[in-house]
Amino acid sequence: MPPASLYQPSGVTFLEDQAPRPVNVDAATYYGGREHYHRSRTYSQSQTHGYHPKKLPAFQEDWHLRPRRMSHDEKSVTAPPRRFLIDVEETIRVILEQEDTDGDFQISVTDAGPKMMTLGTATSNGYKTFDIRGTYMLSNLLQELALARDHNRKRIILDEARLTENPVDRLSRMIKNSFWHSLTRRIDGDGLEIITADPKNRTGRVNPRIYVPHGEPAMAEYYRKVAKEKPHMNLDVQVLPEKPDDPVFVKSLNSKPGLLALAMEEVDDGAGGKTLKGIPFIVPGARFNELYNWDSYFIALGLLVDGKVNMAKGMVEHFIFEIKHYGKILNGSRSYYLCRTQPPFLTDMALQIYNQLDRSDEDSNRDWLKRAIQAAIKEYHTIWVAEPRMDPKTGLSRYRPDGLGIPPETEATHFTHILEPYAEKHGLSVLEFSEKYNDGTLKEPELDEYFLHDRAVRESGHDTTYRFEKRCANLGTIDLQCLLYKYEVDIGTAIRELFDDELEMEEDFDLAPFPPSVESYANPHRERSKSRAQRSDEWFERAEFRKKMIDKYLWNESKSLYFDYDTVAEKQILYESVTAYWALWAGCASEEQAWKLVSRSLQKFEVLGGLVSGTEESRGKISLDRPNRQWDYPPPHQIMAWVGLERYGYLEEAQRLAYRFLYMMTTAFVDFNGVVPEKFDAVKLSHLVDAEYGNQGIDFKMVPREGFGWMNSAYQVGLSFLTTHMRRAVAACTSPEVFFGAGVSGPSGESALMTNNLPPSDPLGLAMESLDLNSSLPEISQ
């Protein structure tokens, strides 16, 4: 019998000799390992050293001469799946030169290329060809080539199924297997170089700096050791004072911003000793390269859907650490956020994770949850029902952070229009005035008031919105009251159900009086205890009191909607906000209020792509003098509404809204090279949104790497609301107008589509509307 070498060269693996390889898997699995070849009549050993097709990909003027699709290399019903033999670098060059007409290294519906490319089949060693057509297949091809390049592949055999993959399955798979990994950070010797990079740092300093909390000497020593072992980093290690959120001190750090240390765990160092290692967490993405508070809650929901329970659990560890050492869950883990918290989600986040922990070690799980609940109780008493955030007259809590001067993380020109009149008054440039105002040389009480409200807007997470402009610090907002009601119910329930109705506090801090009153907050000798036992009845009483205050001050019976309450002007602010539906998520609305919210008010916010944050009537017209605010495009509100509607039995409405939002995300993914952006215009179904600092998550080359944190989660969570039929319709990019019927009536009997005067959902038309054709497509305009 002739030796095997006569039939094939050594070291070659043929696909036909292997078990069927998985196709729709992560890139590391698909492109890792040895190269594979097709056994075919034209195979020669020279093919193992490179790809030399008989017919190169057609280009430019030749493309229209090709035969129609399926006129060659026909695929019968019994034929094996089609595979292509591809030279990675050459095909990248050709596809970009031919199809990427706007030069952004992406293939989208706005590109003016022929949207067709010939690839050689693997069974013929590239001799026979097949046409790849359309934006989606071509953009997938570009993505696959970029991933193959990542794995140092020069030549690949690519399954057609990866180019035609169901877009819902593809996006969900990329989020689960790729995006979360790319957004993962750790603050330790291995992760510092990535996470210390801060796109918001405008000081000109690029060397990294880390601030370690007081009372963590082992952590400080660890980072000093890292600085010594990695001198190229020029790492500056600083230890914070015992009270790190003093406004004067925090302002002094503006010229030397740095990363704040987070929780670490002790691990073996491999040499018989112990060392510290950072607990991993997920960042939002793009310019937001640190741990954020409420982003993390929504991110955790997506992580739980994807089975990444330990990652979500680690993020709660960081929040427990922040409450202990920084006094609050911070807006973000940078030095300029030390005075500022964000919307409180810790209890629901911890309970959601607890419910998915491995049940084999229930004692350990309960201990973990106990630490999280204790931290939330401390945060509740010292932040949310303490002055200045608590308004003792109404019992409502507010976003009202400490802080001095101009928020340093904003773009250089963000406040120019506000500062110019004051600079002119003093005969100074804006820069000179800013410096003198920040250092306290110039006093401007009106400007102090403006920045108080501006910092409150940033603490609210809704930075920025016309809803809060110049009044946020005075508002008892519906969203904050709902979150705190949920805190009170969650804490009371956990104490009653898991801790035998008694939970001892291990830290010493001020306990807020209850019920709140002006007199009780004015008493300097109010109760203070080192280890007061917490019982469920007080927490349920607090929740019931807050519900009464919400109904008294925030519910508007005639308008069937919740509104914010101005605690200084002592009146409701009649700005229609979709955050009214957080009351359904928290469970503080009555059945009658829920019915009115759904039947009478939902149509005000429902548009083709889901929910808008506020009505145009409340927001006012947008103009050059009144530019877009980025919180006109909010993904978190979608998730809160879905969950709240389902909680009150309005599953059909929740599914409809989830379908709308996922349709918008999926069409953008299909038409714009796999994009998952930070913002969407839900009315126009477009991610081509330019509000404030722009749209994050869209600046990538060839293949999306991260998406955007809570948008990734919105997709994964949203899919859990859809039926199989809905999921298939979304994958086919079936417009909600078609799926639900353009004239479908909502609960009020009025068509939501007609009510909102929605435009047709033509992605190309909408995209072209948003582009400057003269600059983006010069070859067309000439």
Side-chain angles (χ1 to χ4, degrees):
M1 183 175 179
S5 58
L6 293 179
Y7 295 100
Q8 66 186 58
S10 61
V12 168
T13 302
F14 288 109
L15 284 172
E16 293 85 349
D17 297 337
Q18 308 297 312
R21 67 172 179 170
V23 176
N24 296 327
V25 294
D26 63 285
T29 302
Y30 190 77
Y31 293 110
R34 301 175 64 181
E35 289 197 24
H36 291 83
Y37 299 85
H38 250 293
R39 191 188 304 278
S40 68
R41 180 182 52 173
T42 56
Y43 183 87
S44 69
Q45 188 162 352
S46 65
Q47 294 286 321
T48 65
H49 304 294
Y51 167 56
H52 307 290
K54 301 287 179 59
K55 190 180 294 185
L56 291 171
F59 179 54
Q60 291 180 344
E61 68 273 5
D62 296 332
W63 70 268
H64 63 280
L65 301 175
R66 286 179 283 184
R68 292 179 61 193
R69 184 181 223 172
M70 299 301 292
S71 62
H72 61 292
D73 196 26
E74 293 286 355
K75 180 179 175 184
S76 70
V77 176
T78 58
R82 186 180 287 112
R83 297 184 174 106
F84 302 111
L85 184 62
I86 300 175
D87 179 280
V88 173
E89 294 300 329
E90 175 62 15
T91 310
I92 288 176
R93 183 192 68 79
V94 171
I95 193 172
L96 289 176
E97 193 169 344
Q98 173 178 305
E99 301 290 347
D100 180 26
T101 57
D102 58 9
D104 63 355
F105 292 88
Q106 299 175 23
I107 309 301
S108 67
V109 290
T110 57
D111 285 307
K115 300 293 171 65
M116 183 168 68
M117 187 172 178
T118 293
L119 295 178
T121 61
T123 52
S124 68
N125 269 2
Y127 185 79
K128 291 186 176 181
T129 60
F130 183 79
D131 286 345
I132 300 301
R133 297 174 185 247
T135 299
Y136 182 60
M137 287 187 73
L138 284 166
S139 66
N140 284 351
L141 174 59
L142 183 62
Q143 292 171 46
E144 293 301 323
L145 295 172
L147 294 170
R149 176 194 274 177
D150 289 347
H151 290 83
N152 300 313
R153 301 297 293 272
K154 304 299 182 186
R155 192 206 74 155
I156 58 172
I157 291 176
L158 178 65
D159 290 85
E160 183 185 18
R162 283 183 79 86
L163 304 183
T164 59
E165 185 178 1
N166 176 310
V168 170
D169 294 343
R170 183 177 178 88
L171 175 51
S172 184
R173 172 177 63 78
M174 291 172 72
I175 291 170
K176 180 178 180 179
N177 297 331
S178 175
F179 290 0
W180 292 137
H181 175 74
S182 297
L183 291 171
T184 300
R185 302 287 186 272
R186 287 208 326 263
I187 303 182
D188 57 21
D190 295 328
L192 270 174
E193 291 184 75
I194 296 174
I195 196 169
T196 48
D198 182 8
K200 300 178 295 302
N201 178 8
R202 294 189 283 106
T203 65
R205 178 188 170 89
V206 294
N207 292 339
R209 179 185 288 112
I210 186 164
Y211 288 99
V212 181
H214 179 85
E216 288 287 346
M219 192 177 288
E221 184 57 35
Y222 169 83
Y223 286 115
R224 291 189 186 106
K225 183 179 178 184
V226 170
K228 186 176 180 180
E229 292 174 350
K230 297 186 175 184
H232 65 280
M233 286 182 61
N234 294 314
L235 179 64
D236 182 11
V237 181
Q238 297 286 333
V239 176
L240 291 167
E242 192 169 356
K243 182 175 170 49
D245 57 351
D246 175 75
V248 175
F249 171 72
V250 174
K251 189 181 75 168
S252 74
L253 302 182
N254 287 353
S255 60
K256 43 185 179 180
L259 188 68
L260 297 174
L262 293 175
M264 305 183 81
E265 57 185 345
E266 196 174 61
V267 298
D268 294 331
D269 63 3
K274 296 288 185 180
T275 187
L276 294 176
K277 184 177 182 180
I279 297 174
F281 57 91
I282 305 292
V283 299
R287 77 197 293 264
F288 304 105
N289 191 38
E290 52 270 309
L291 179 71
Y292 277 83
N293 178 6
W294 74 322
D295 294 69
S296 297
Y297 169 73
F298 295 103
I299 287 169
L301 298 182
L303 292 172
L304 293 177
V305 170
D306 287 336
K308 301 181 184 297
V309 181
N310 285 334
M311 178 67 76
K313 183 182 177 185
M315 294 165 81
V316 170
E317 288 288 353
H318 292 308
F319 295 144
I320 295 171
F321 181 91
E322 287 189 341
I323 291 170
K324 177 180 179 181
H325 291 292
Y326 304 128
K328 61 183 73 67
I329 297 179
L330 300 171
N331 182 169
S333 55
R334 301 277 179 186
S335 56
Y336 40 75
Y337 293 134
L338 278 165
C339 284
R340 198 188 309 157
T341 184
Q342 265 199 337
F345 281 94
L346 178 58
T347 58
D348 191 72
M349 186 176 177
L351 288 169
Q352 296 256 18
I353 294 165
Y354 173 78
N355 287 332
Q356 292 199 32
L357 292 177
D358 184 350
R359 295 302 183 201
S360 63
D361 192 357
E362 192 58 41
D363 289 341
S364 176
N365 295 349
R366 193 178 287 108
D367 288 343
W368 174 82
L369 181 63
K370 179 180 178 181
R371 292 194 300 111
I373 296 296
Q374 286 174 328
I377 291 172
K378 178 184 176 182
E379 180 202 22
Y380 174 90
H381 277 288
T382 61
I383 297 295
W384 295 114
V385 293
E387 293 185 295
R389 290 176 179 86
M390 165 60 77
D391 174 48
K393 187 171 182 179
T394 60
L396 299 175
S397 298
R398 304 168 294 187
Y399 296 112
R400 201 176 177 93
D402 290 324
L404 298 170
I406 303 170
E409 80 275 15
T410 57
E411 290 68 34
T413 59
H414 185 83
F415 294 111
T416 298
H417 65 294
I418 299 296
L419 299 174
E420 274 177 345
Y422 295 96
E424 290 174 6
K425 183 174 98 174
H426 291 281
L428 300 170
S429 68
V430 171
L431 179 61
E432 290 170 331
F433 173 78
S434 299
E435 291 173 350
K436 291 182 180 295
Y437 173 71
N438 271 338
D439 66 20
T441 304
L442 293 177
K443 307 292 185 183
E444 290 290 348
E446 287 185 4
L447 202 53
D448 294 343
E449 178 79 5
Y450 174 86
F451 282 118
L452 167 65
H453 294 304
D454 182 84
R455 284 190 295 273
V457 171
R458 297 176 191 285
E459 182 167 83
S460 78
H462 295 74
D463 47 337
T464 63
T465 168
Y466 289 112
R467 171 189 170 203
F468 288 160
E469 191 145 300
K470 298 180 182 179
R471 61 188 177 202
C472 186
N474 296 337
L475 298 182
T477 68
I478 178 59
D479 41 300
L480 180 55
Q481 311 318 309
C482 291
L483 290 171
L484 292 175
Y485 174 85
K486 187 71 162 59
Y487 254 45
E488 291 154 351
V489 171
D490 286 348
I491 292 169
T493 303
I495 292 172
R496 183 185 65 193
E497 302 296 331
L498 296 170
F499 304 118
D500 300 322
D501 210 21
E502 184 171 293
L503 181 63
E504 291 287 341
M505 298 305 297
E506 297 174 5
E507 280 195 65
D508 181 20
F509 54 84
D510 285 334
L511 295 171
F514 181 77
S517 66
V518 174
E519 294 75 19
S520 64
Y521 275 83
N523 179 10
H525 304 295
R526 65 178 182 263
E527 182 181 6
R528 182 179 174 85
S529 172
K530 195 164 189 175
S531 59
R532 186 181 134 196
Q534 300 287 308
R535 292 183 173 83
S536 63
D537 56 353
E538 180 187 331
W539 288 97
F540 291 134
E541 286 173 15
R542 286 179 176 273
E544 186 59 31
F545 174 83
R546 190 174 298 275
K547 184 180 185 306
K548 288 178 181 177
M549 295 305 101
I550 290 172
D551 289 342
K552 178 179 179 180
Y553 293 108
L554 308 184
W555 175 250
N556 189 306
E557 182 67 23
S558 66
K559 295 183 179 293
S560 298
L561 201 65
Y562 291 99
F563 293 95
D564 302 327
Y565 184 81
D566 191 319
T567 59
V568 175
E570 298 187 345
K571 65 177 183 178
Q572 277 189 356
I573 301 298
L574 299 181
Y575 189 108
E576 295 171 323
S577 169
V578 78
T579 54
Y581 292 84
W582 290 31
L584 303 184
W585 172 86
C588 60
S590 67
E591 293 293 335
E592 183 182 1
Q593 287 169 326
W595 180 81
K596 289 179 178 178
L597 283 169
V598 175
S599 64
R600 298 180 181 176
S601 296
L602 187 60
Q603 62 185 11
K604 295 178 180 180
F605 305 99
E606 184 173 355
V607 295
L608 190 58
L611 293 170
V612 290
S613 60
T615 61
E616 187 171 349
E617 181 182 358
S618 292
R619 183 196 64 183
K621 293 289 185 182
I622 296 301
S623 65
L624 288 176
D625 296 327
R626 288 186 91 249
N628 275 333
R629 296 288 188 237
Q630 69 162 345
W631 270 90
D632 291 331
Y633 314 99
H637 296 334
Q638 317 291 333
I639 299 175
M640 300 289 276
W642 303 337
V643 174
L645 288 166
E646 183 186 37
R647 176 174 186 162
Y648 279 78
Y650 296 98
L651 179 59
E652 200 173 298
E653 286 76 10
Q655 290 178 323
R656 185 178 70 241
L657 291 172
Y659 184 98
R660 293 186 183 284
F661 193 75
L662 267 62
Y663 166 76
M664 179 170 62
M665 286 190 68
T666 304
T667 52
F669 178 79
V670 167
D671 291 331
F672 290 90
N673 209 110
V675 70
V676 179
E678 177 196 18
K679 305 181 185 81
F680 272 108
D681 184 328
V683 175
K684 293 185 176 181
L685 293 188
S686 175
H687 72 285
L688 299 171
V689 174
D690 185 21
E692 300 184 280
Y693 55 75
N695 201 355
Q696 304 300 297
I698 65 175
D699 186 18
F700 60 87
K701 291 187 176 180
M702 298 198 288
V703 61
R705 304 287 183 179
E706 301 177 342
F708 195 81
W710 60 23
M711 197 69 80
N712 298 341
S713 283
Y715 202 78
Q716 303 298 66
V717 172
L719 287 177
S720 70
F721 280 85
L722 300 191
T723 63
T724 301
H725 177 49
M726 287 178 165
R727 183 175 176 129
R728 288 172 178 165
V730 169
C733 293
T734 304
S735 168
E737 294 171 294
V738 175
F739 188 81
F740 296 109
V744 69
S745 294
S748 65
E750 214 176 344
S751 167
L753 295 173
M754 295 175 67
T755 301
N756 290 288
N757 193 25
L758 298 173
S761 54
D762 171 25
L764 180 57
L766 293 169
M768 289 300 187
E769 252 182 48
S770 304
L771 290 174
D772 179 355
L773 294 180
N774 291 327
S775 61
S776 299
L777 300 171
E779 66 274 24
I780 293 179
S781 61
Q782 289 175 355

